[in-house]
Amino acid sequence: MPDLRSRMDAMLGKGGAPDPAVSAAAVSNAWFQQKTCRNCGKAMADTYCGGCGQKAAQRFVWRDIRTESWDRLRLFELKSVQTLGRLVVAPGTVARDYVLGRRAAYMHPLKLLVATVAILVLLLAGSQYFSVYADVDRDAVVKRMASQVLAYSNWSFSLGILAIVVAARLTFRNRLRYNMIEVTVLAIYCQSVVLAFISVNLLPTLIWHDPDTILAHKAASQVYVPALKTLVVAVGYRQFYLLSWRSDWPRLLSASMMFLAINWVLLRVYAWAILWLVNR
């Protein structure tokens, strides 16, 4: 029975009873210089433990606070910035390069999407952007709506991806023989650019966040943000499908307008779902 329990603990990643040597050890340089893994207790012959894979532990010093924190919290590392910088001018080219195998040069599309969504959610929460509405008392109902929007923000930010994919498949079909996943790579990269722009667009609301300013900002954003989204998607389509502005503009215009319409419908359905969740 004890043997079974120890094996179950090992499978579940439990350490069991503490090692007496560890409990009694004083923190010293000599402790960390021993060729023993301080995670699982096995002897180490290399930089990494052959049993658990942990790197040889060293005593913490001040510089470790900076390096450990950066290693664990870096969502927007240098590759993210480089990928976004390239995506601003060539979202379709980046997606096509990535699909064709140039993977190390760019950040993984899903990782980039998670980073841009996280930053945008923080900005929305910091500016209380969803808490200000025209001709509506900011009561408990509005607060619940704001909390629901933030809680389901990943779904709302994914609607643009679905709209890009559907419009592309309906308009360009099997051009260049892309499959659905490869078209989704284009959609995720384009959506990441859009979310990055929206994040930049929200920065003034962190400084001037009085209700009148936020309402004016919302009114203006409803004009130029959809136009920018459509432009990003159109550029992405042209580059990804190797089209020409001069000869293929009717197809590009059709696909862009279809994206805009599908995205509008999906957002309205999402808004209805939020209202239903709040009022149920």
Side-chain angles (χ1 to χ4, degrees):
M1 188 71 176
D3 182 57
L4 177 61
R5 177 61 182 271
S6 63
R7 281 186 288 177
M8 289 179 64
D9 287 343
M11 290 174 62
L12 296 173
K14 298 179 180 178
D19 186 349
V22 173
S23 302
V27 181
S28 64
N29 293 333
W31 170 259
F32 291 97
Q33 289 170 358
Q34 297 175 21
K35 297 295 184 181
T36 303
C37 177
R38 294 309 174 192
N39 182 58
C40 66
K42 291 188 177 181
M44 293 184 65
D46 202 350
T47 306
Y48 292 89
C49 174
C52 66
Q54 175 176 287
K55 187 177 181 181
Q58 297 180 351
R59 190 172 185 180
F60 275 122
V61 293
W62 279 109
R63 68 173 178 271
D64 293 325
I65 297 176
R66 173 174 53 83
T67 56
E68 288 277 338
S69 299
W70 173 249
D71 286 342
R72 281 159 175 72
L73 297 178
R74 57 178 184 179
L75 280 176
F76 229 65
E77 56 192 3
L78 181 59
K79 186 175 285 189
S80 308
V81 177
Q82 292 174 335
T83 302
L84 264 180
R86 177 71 170 147
L87 281 171
V88 169
V89 295
T93 301
V94 171
R96 179 171 167 78
D97 286 350
Y98 195 88
V99 164
L100 290 176
R102 195 179 177 195
R103 310 285 164 80
Y106 303 113
M107 189 176 182
H108 191 284
L110 286 178
K111 186 178 180 182
L112 183 63
L113 180 66
V114 169
T116 52
V117 168
I119 291 173
L120 181 53
V121 168
L122 289 174
L123 288 172
L124 289 171
S127 64
Q128 298 183 341
Y129 202 74
F130 288 136
S131 299
V132 180
Y133 294 89
D135 303 323
V136 177
D137 293 331
R138 283 168 291 188
D139 55 6
V141 174
V142 175
K143 290 180 180 179
R144 289 204 307 272
M145 286 182 63
S147 65
Q148 291 290 345
V149 169
L150 289 175
Y152 292 91
S153 58
N154 289 343
W155 289 100
S156 65
F157 299 144
S158 301
L159 298 179
I161 297 173
L162 180 59
I164 294 170
V165 171
V166 172
R169 298 302 283 184
L170 291 176
T171 306
F172 305 111
R173 301 187 183 276
N174 293 321
R175 180 178 172 84
L176 301 183
R177 298 184 179 178
Y178 293 123
N179 61 32
M180 187 69 74
I181 301 301
E182 290 162 345
V183 177
T184 303
V185 170
L186 167 69
I188 293 174
Y189 274 138
C190 287
Q191 184 72 353
S192 297
V193 176
V194 170
L195 295 180
F197 175 80
I198 294 174
S199 296
V200 173
N201 185 52
L202 284 172
L203 291 178
T205 64
L206 295 177
I207 303 173
W208 302 284
H209 48 267
D210 59 282
D212 292 337
T213 302
I214 290 182
L215 288 174
H217 184 274
K218 286 184 176 182
S221 298
Q222 289 175 0
V223 176
Y224 60 80
V225 169
L228 180 107
K229 285 183 183 180
T230 307
L231 178 62
V232 170
V233 172
V235 171
Y237 284 155
R238 187 192 74 82
Q239 295 168 342
F240 191 68
Y241 288 101
L242 303 181
L243 301 170
S244 168
W245 288 118
R246 178 174 296 181
S247 59
D248 296 308
W249 70 264
R251 298 178 70 187
L252 287 169
L253 180 62
S254 174
S256 301
M257 293 301 100
M258 189 178 299
F259 154 75
L260 199 60
I262 294 171
N263 192 57
W264 185 89
V265 170
L266 291 175
L267 286 174
R268 293 306 177 275
V269 172
Y270 169 75
W272 175 86
I274 291 294
L275 288 173
W276 178 81
L277 286 170
V278 170
N279 293 318
R280 67 174 179 172

